[in-house]
């Protein structure tokens, strides 16, 4: 019995060992026989398609430059010269002789930094602010829509040329008119957006006195400003009174003359015909009363 038990245990151990080796071989076999991915081998997945590559960044740049100069008007004219030499243009100019000169200019985006550096030489720069707005998605969307509409317009024109009857021709013409109007609108938007991208907008504010956008007035500055306002208001009131004084005298004299005329007419109306100074006799209103008293 002991020998039989030993034989059985040995057989069971051999069977367990064989099954474990077979299982491990079957689990590793697929990983060994699996061929490498051809797309990874030739590197096709490593590079992105041409249409998904990053497009050129489109930005709209705006800026505000504040300068202090002794002669703002002369400095403003120099700004015009600098901007035109850089290939830009001047959209608006506002001048206050001896006080300030404000210009809105358009400068090529690739020359904005150099133009600002030249403008710094006109005086003391008190403030400079630039803002960049990314419009890449908007510009790309416009390009895609314009391309699709242009293809649709071309197809409709081909249908018009091959139209078999008048009804098909009229339908194609109406569809073409709608597509063409939408295409023209998108093209105009693209031109405007391209102009904003290609030419940066810069506001140049030149003043004779230093001005900073972050300056805060103190209490004393407020008192001085209030006193100046009060003095200006009193001076204006005195001037207005001087202007109105002749008219006031004229109206007072006119009112006095009218009053005298009215009084004179009232006296004449109260006078009655008869001898002046003799009062008219009035009849006895109560004769019976007098008789009773007697």
């Amino acid at each position: 019995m002991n020998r039989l038990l030993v034989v059985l245990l040995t057989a069971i151990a051999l069977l367990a060992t064989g099954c474990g080796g077979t299982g491990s071989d079957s689990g590793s076999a697929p990983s060994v026989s699996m061929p490498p991915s051809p797309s990874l081998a030739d590197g096709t997945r490593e590079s992105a398609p041409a249409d998904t590559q990053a497009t050129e960044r489109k930005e709209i740049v705006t800026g505000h430059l504040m300068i202090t100069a002794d002669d703002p008007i002369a400095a403003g004219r120099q700004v015009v010269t600098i901007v035109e030499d850089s290939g830009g243009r001047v959209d608006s100019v506002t001048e206050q002789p001896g006080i300030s000169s404000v210009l809105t200019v358009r400068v090529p985006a690739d020359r904005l930094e150099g133009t600002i550096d030249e403008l710094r030489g006109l005086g003391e720069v008190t403030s400079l602010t630039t803002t960049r707005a990314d419009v890449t998605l908007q510009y790309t969307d416009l390009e895609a829509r314009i391309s699709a509409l242009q293809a649709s317009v071309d197809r409709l024109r081909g249908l018009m040329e091959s139209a078999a009857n008048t009804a098909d021709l009229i339908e194609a013409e109406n569809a073409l008119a709608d597509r063409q109007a939408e295409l023209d609108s998108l093209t105009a938007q693209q031109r405007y957006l391209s102009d904003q991208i290609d030419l940066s907008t810069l506001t140049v504010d030149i003043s004779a006195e230093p001005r900073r956008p972050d300056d805060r007035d103190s209490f004393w500055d407020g008192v001085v400003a209030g006193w100046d306002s009060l003095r200006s208001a009193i001076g204006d009131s005195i001037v207005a009174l001087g202007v109105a004084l002749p008219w006031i005298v004229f109206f007072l004299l006119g009112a006095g003359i009218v009053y005298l005329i009215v009084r004179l007419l009232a006296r004449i109306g109260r006078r009655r015909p008869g001898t002046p100074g003799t009062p008219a006799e009035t009849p006895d209103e109560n004769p019976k009363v007098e008789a009773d008293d007697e």
Side-chain angles (χ1 to χ4, degrees), residues 138-180:
Q138 183 179 354
Y139 190 87
T140 304
D141 179 67
L142 281 176
E143 281 187 332
R145 294 172 64 185
I146 289 173
S147 178
L149 280 174
Q150 186 63 56
S152 178
V153 168
D154 294 340
R155 287 195 300 269
L156 287 173
R157 288 176 178 172
L159 291 175
M160 290 176 59
E161 293 177 357
S162 61
N165 51 55
T166 306
D168 294 341
L169 179 61
I170 293 175
E171 185 178 358
E173 286 180 349
N174 293 334
L176 177 61
D178 295 338
R179 297 291 191 280
Q180 188 64 49

Side-chain angles (χ1 to χ4, degrees), residues 1 5 17 26 32 40 57 60 68 71 96 109 116 133 185 196 207 222 224 231 233 246 254 259 267:
M1 291 297 293
L5 182 60
T17 304
S26 62
V32 173
L40 289 176
R57 185 181 178 90
I60 296 178
T68 302
D71 189 350
Q96 294 181 349
I116 291 177
S185 176
Q196 296 295 314
S207 60
V224 173
R231 185 175 58 183
Y259 177 75
R267 289 182 179 180

Side-chain angles (χ1 to χ4, degrees), residues 2-294:
N2 292 334
R3 290 180 180 179
L4 181 61
L5 182 60
V6 171
V7 172
L8 290 176
L9 291 175
T10 304
I12 293 172
L14 291 174
L15 289 174
T17 304
C19 291
T22 304
S24 62
D25 293 342
S26 62
S28 61
S31 62
V32 173
S33 61
M34 182 180 295
S37 175
S39 60
L40 289 176
D42 57 10
T44 54
R45 291 187 182 178
E46 296 298 329
S47 60
D51 56 350
T52 60
Q53 292 180 354
T55 58
E56 182 183 358
R57 185 181 178 90
K58 303 292 184 181
E59 293 180 336
I60 296 178
V61 183
T62 57
H64 189 195
L65 178 63
M66 300 181 68
I67 300 175
T68 302
D70 296 334
D71 189 350
I73 305 302
R77 293 173 182 174
Q78 293 181 13
V79 170
V80 174
T81 303
I82 293 173
V83 170
E84 291 179 349
D85 291 342
S86 65
R89 68 173 188 264
V90 179
D91 283 355
S92 65
V93 179
T94 303
E95 295 181 347
Q96 294 181 349
I99 300 177
S100 66
S101 177
V102 182
L103 303 90
T104 302
V105 300
R106 305 293 304 282
V107 182
D110 55 349
R111 298 183 180 179
L112 179 62
E113 297 296 334
T115 303
I116 291 177
D117 291 339
E118 292 186 27
L119 295 176
R120 290 177 183 272
L122 300 179
E124 179 185 358
V125 177
T126 57
S127 176
L128 173 61
T129 304
T130 57
T131 304
R132 295 179 178 270
D134 188 359
V135 293
T136 306
L137 293 178
Q138 183 179 354
Y139 190 87
T140 304
D141 179 67
L142 281 176
E143 281 187 332
R145 294 172 64 185
I146 289 173
S147 178
L149 280 174
Q150 186 63 56
S152 178
V153 168
D154 294 340
R155 287 195 300 269
L156 287 173
R157 288 176 178 172
L159 291 175
M160 290 176 59
E161 293 177 357
S162 61
N165 51 55
T166 306
D168 294 341
L169 179 61
I170 293 175
E171 185 178 358
E173 286 180 349
N174 293 334
L176 177 61
D178 295 338
R179 297 291 191 280
Q180 188 64 49
E182 188 176 358
L183 178 61
D184 293 341
S185 176
L186 293 178
T187 303
Q189 295 179 31
Q190 187 186 39
R191 285 198 302 266
Y192 175 78
L193 192 61
S194 298
D195 179 73
Q196 296 295 314
I197 294 171
D198 296 337
L199 296 176
S200 300
T201 303
L202 179 65
T203 302
V204 184
D205 189 347
I206 307 172
S207 60
E209 298 294 334
R211 291 188 300 174
R212 299 180 185 274
D214 56 349
D215 282 347
R216 297 182 182 273
D217 294 334
S218 63
F219 174 77
W220 179 249
D221 293 334
V223 172
V224 173
W227 171 253
D228 292 339
S229 300
L230 177 61
R231 185 175 58 183
S232 177
I234 293 175
D236 294 340
S237 301
I238 293 174
V239 172
L241 180 61
V243 173
L245 185 60
W247 292 94
I248 294 174
V249 174
F250 173 77
F251 284 120
L252 289 177
L253 291 176
I257 294 173
V258 171
Y259 177 75
L260 292 176
I261 293 174
V262 171
R263 290 292 302 273
L264 181 60
L265 292 176
R267 289 182 179 180
I268 294 175
R270 285 198 299 266
R271 292 180 180 177
R272 295 183 178 182
T275 304
T278 305
E281 296 181 356
T282 57
D284 188 2
E285 294 181 356
N286 299 319
K288 294 182 179 181
V289 175
E290 293 179 355
D292 295 336
D293 291 341
E294 293 177 356

